[in-house]
Amino acid sequence: MIPHYLILGEYDVDSWDFQQTGANANKCSTTVSYYLNRNGLADSANPTEVRENGRYKTNIWKNEAGIPLFKFGQTAERNHNCIPSEMPMLYEWFSHWSQAADGMRLYDGKSIKLHADKPSDNTESKANSERSGRRGNSSKAEYTKGYYTGNQKNSGNWKMDAKGWWFRYVDGTYPQGTWKELSWNGKNKWYHFDTVGYCQGGWLNDTDGNIYFLYNQHDGNFGYMLTGWQLIEGKWYYFEPEAGKMQGHLYRNTTTPDGYRVDVNGVWIQ
């Protein structure tokens, strides 16, 4: 959970050593480093900064933008319970944090910047097997508390940086220039990623000659492929709803399955 600030008593842990080194590395450091690296928030195994102020020693993990993500501190000469002088410290820390409409955590109004160590040689083509999979034959990932698990390649985690949303597989690679069926909030939907690896939104002219529309509102659901009747900028369009029939493609200059005519641009002729 970000943000996170834990103040411990001097005797709550075995020692003051928060370094993740050797066989006796402190459990706090090991745990924090694991979650930061797993979720692409920071690379540092050890605290980025250590502050000492009287009775307090605070270990801070920051990302590349210098935003503090985790704080683990110890107070000398006390056991478990917090003391009154620690309340302003906690308040000051959490007062920097807020939440955007799409659920992203903000620190002083700035979104958390993910580390930029994405591999540069993960060019993933639109293989025939993937394209036929988009028509209904792909296995589905299982969503579990924000992490995507399963035995198929689609296991991974959604990420966001200053440029947009992308999906990181458990092996560190990510989809580029392709369609992927992925889980979000317990629902499997199709997404398209550009050649750099970012999830796309809005109108998409695919290489198969068809046109698709990807949900483009930043309300926590960005990027999924629309199907069925959709009202877009005041006009009605119809997108194939069924898998196995070029799902998601725009009907143009034809009659929809429910009997309505659409023009060459796909707009319903009223």
Side-chain angles (χ1 to χ4, degrees):
M1 178 64 72
I2 300 296
H4 188 102
Y5 191 177
L6 176 63
I7 303 179
L8 307 172
E10 180 178 0
Y11 308 109
D12 283 336
V13 294
D14 296 335
S15 71
W16 289 89
D17 181 15
F18 274 69
Q19 305 302 303
Q20 189 182 353
T21 57
N24 297 318
N26 186 280
K27 293 181 180 179
C28 290
S29 180
T30 304
T31 301
V32 173
S33 298
Y34 169 76
Y35 282 106
L36 289 180
N37 281 279
R38 166 178 164 172
N39 292 294
L41 293 170
D43 289 318
S44 177
N46 297 318
T48 311
E49 180 181 348
V50 179
R51 297 177 183 175
E52 295 191 46
N53 181 17
R55 298 175 62 189
Y56 302 101
K57 183 173 183 177
T58 305
N59 299 266
I60 306 170
W61 283 257
K62 299 180 180 180
N63 66 2
E64 291 178 348
I67 295 176
L69 304 175
F70 275 76
K71 282 190 177 184
F72 273 3
Q74 286 179 301
T75 307
E77 301 176 358
R78 79 162 175 83
N79 293 317
H80 294 292
N81 297 328
C82 289
I83 56 180
S85 61
E86 294 169 354
M87 296 303 103
M89 298 166 59
L90 293 170
Y91 176 80
E92 191 279 333
W93 160 250
F94 287 108
S95 67
H96 290 278
W97 291 90
S98 59
Q99 189 173 30
D102 62 1
M104 275 298 295
R105 296 286 193 272
L106 305 177
Y107 184 84
D108 288 341
K110 298 178 181 180
S111 62
I112 299 174
K113 182 178 182 297
L114 302 177
H115 68 72
D117 66 342
K118 295 191 295 181
S120 59
D121 58 351
N122 177 44
T123 302
E124 183 172 334
S125 64
K126 292 184 179 181
N128 290 334
S129 60
E130 294 233 354
R131 296 178 61 75
S132 63
R134 187 169 60 80
R135 290 150 178 80
N137 300 321
S138 176
S139 58
K140 296 184 178 181
E142 176 187 349
Y143 175 83
T144 307
K145 296 182 179 178
Y147 198 72
Y148 302 82
T149 61
N151 296 322
Q152 67 286 339
K153 184 180 178 180
N154 286 0
S155 297
N157 206 5
W158 282 103
K159 303 289 184 182
M160 185 179 188
D161 60 21
K163 294 183 179 180
W165 286 98
W166 53 286
F167 190 84
R168 180 180 178 180
Y169 297 126
V170 292
D171 64 1
T173 61
Y174 53 99
Q176 293 174 268
T178 190
W179 288 95
K180 282 293 177 182
E181 185 183 29
L182 300 169
S183 180
W184 174 249
N185 285 339
K187 297 181 179 179
N188 287 80
K189 295 182 180 295
W190 283 99
Y191 299 85
H192 193 272
F193 297 85
D194 64 21
T195 56
V196 179
Y198 288 101
C199 183
Q200 295 178 269
W203 291 106
L204 174 70
N205 292 289
D206 202 1
T207 55
D208 63 6
N210 284 303
I211 298 175
Y212 303 83
F213 193 88
L214 309 171
Y215 188 72
N216 60 351
Q217 300 300 309
H218 292 276
D219 58 3
N221 297 293
F222 180 81
Y224 72 88
M225 182 184 72
L226 298 185
T227 60
W229 282 106
Q230 300 290 338
L231 181 63
I232 302 173
E233 296 181 348
K235 299 177 181 180
W236 284 99
Y237 300 86
Y238 186 81
F239 302 88
E240 176 58 54
E242 295 187 31
K245 296 182 178 181
M246 301 294 292
Q247 186 180 31
H249 82 272
L250 174 66
Y251 275 61
R252 293 175 288 170
N253 195 29
T254 188
T255 301
T256 64
D258 50 357
Y260 294 93
R261 288 290 301 173
V262 291
D263 66 19
V264 67
N265 295 313
V267 179
W268 172 37
I269 302 173
Q270 302 185 45

